[in-house]
Amino acid sequence: MADALEIQSISKSYGKKQAVREVSFSVKEGEIFGLMGMNGAGKTTLLRMLATLLRPDSGDALIAGHSIVKAPEQVRTCISYLPDEAGAYRSMTGKHYLQFIAGLYFKEEQAQKACVQRGEDICGLGDTLNRKISTYSRGMTRKLVLARAVMTQPKLAILDEPTSGLDVLNSLDIRNAILRCAKEYGTAFLLSSHHMQEIHTTADRAAIMKDGVVLTSGTPEELLARYSASTLEEVFERAVRA
């Protein structure tokens, strides 16, 4: 299986503070890769570089073979980025919003309709798509913007804390949607999360970051064995305090 993402010794500083230091890892097509770390670990800076919102100071990353440094325009055609506090146009209905987004990506009417249908299937909001987004709960809005991010079938979906602030049931719905999209569409996912259980049940592989550096990475089972732990919380604690 080919790499959807290959990060090559990427670094970024803000003045004297080095936020990301020579990070390297890859994500396969259809793979879900989780990033764990405390606030300030460098996760969001890394995601923003991959989304071409920030330029690396050094290093590079290839997304579907395109360099984020040399070909950011091509990268933007094959990624989606969902920041932590992503919202939608509240005056629109959910259905209109999905149609609007589809129209930005596809010119042909049939392709737009297929894209909207994927969005409806992914979010699972049913008849509530006919209501204005201003009436949606946080969980409903999060499902809608996740659908927006994935219905275009990007090669790589970059998700920053996709279940932040959601209750248990809405979080489960989001995780199941990610798992289904990775399997059905072959979309690769790179997601950050503070929820270790979320990483354990969703990610194929994961990495722990601290002070801009990747401390360790592997499958959840490999990490548990490496740190002689029974939970990823224990793995995280032992890795960052070592």
Side-chain angles (χ1 to χ4, degrees):
M1 197 175 296
D3 287 338
L5 167 66
E6 182 185 353
I7 304 177
Q8 305 168 340
S9 299
I10 201 168
S11 298
K12 179 68 178 179
S13 296
Y14 301 109
K16 295 182 179 180
K17 177 177 174 54
Q18 194 160 21
V20 175
R21 293 189 287 167
E22 297 189 357
V23 167
S24 298
F25 61 81
S26 62
V27 181
K28 300 290 186 183
E29 294 175 354
E31 184 178 32
I32 302 171
F33 193 100
L35 278 179
M36 299 178 285
M38 296 182 292
N39 292 335
K43 305 186 304 298
T44 295
T45 294
L46 176 60
L47 298 187
R48 288 176 177 169
M49 284 192 286
L50 298 177
T52 72
L53 299 176
L54 293 174
R55 185 180 177 87
D57 295 333
S58 61
D60 200 352
L62 302 179
I63 299 178
H66 303 298
S67 163
I68 64 170
V69 175
K70 298 178 181 177
E73 297 85 1
Q74 286 88 341
V75 168
R76 293 178 196 126
T77 66
C78 55
I79 66 169
S80 63
Y81 174 55
L82 189 63
D84 183 9
E85 293 298 328
Y89 298 116
R90 293 171 56 82
S91 62
M92 288 183 175
T93 66
K95 181 72 171 277
H96 186 196
Y97 178 69
L98 295 179
Q99 291 171 337
F100 170 71
I101 297 297
L104 296 177
Y105 281 83
F106 301 101
K107 294 182 179 179
E108 296 182 1
E109 183 178 354
Q110 200 62 33
Q112 291 179 16
K113 288 182 178 179
C115 182
V116 171
Q117 184 60 60
R118 284 194 297 273
E120 292 179 4
D121 293 342
I122 292 166
C123 70
L125 292 175
D127 291 341
T128 57
L129 286 170
N130 296 316
R131 287 167 38 190
K132 285 192 174 183
I133 297 169
S134 61
T135 69
Y136 284 13
S137 66
R138 180 178 177 87
M140 293 166 65
T141 301
R142 203 64 181 167
K143 291 175 185 178
L144 183 70
V145 294
L146 175 67
R148 177 264 290 172
V150 185
M151 70 183 192
T152 58
Q153 296 182 300
K155 296 292 186 182
L156 175 68
I158 304 167
L159 312 180
D160 196 356
E161 299 287 346
T163 62
S164 175
L166 300 187
D167 59 34
V168 172
L169 293 180
N170 279 309
S171 295
L172 284 172
D173 288 342
I174 293 290
R175 293 174 201 169
N176 287 335
I178 291 170
L179 287 165
R180 182 160 58 89
C181 291
K183 182 177 180 180
E184 292 183 7
Y185 306 142
T187 301
F189 286 86
L190 176 62
L191 61 93
S192 71
S193 179
H194 285 99
H195 301 294
M196 306 302 157
Q197 182 64 16
E198 179 171 277
I199 297 294
H200 197 169
T201 59
T202 308
D204 299 299
R205 289 188 297 135
I208 296 174
M209 290 187 69
K210 180 184 178 183
D211 297 331
V213 175
V214 170
L215 300 177
T216 189
S217 65
T219 68
E221 292 72 22
E222 287 170 344
L223 293 173
L224 292 173
R226 189 175 303 157
Y227 288 87
S228 300
S230 57
T231 67
L232 283 187
E233 284 87 352
E234 291 178 0
V235 170
F236 184 82
E237 180 183 27
R238 292 170 189 176
V240 300
R241 290 183 173 176

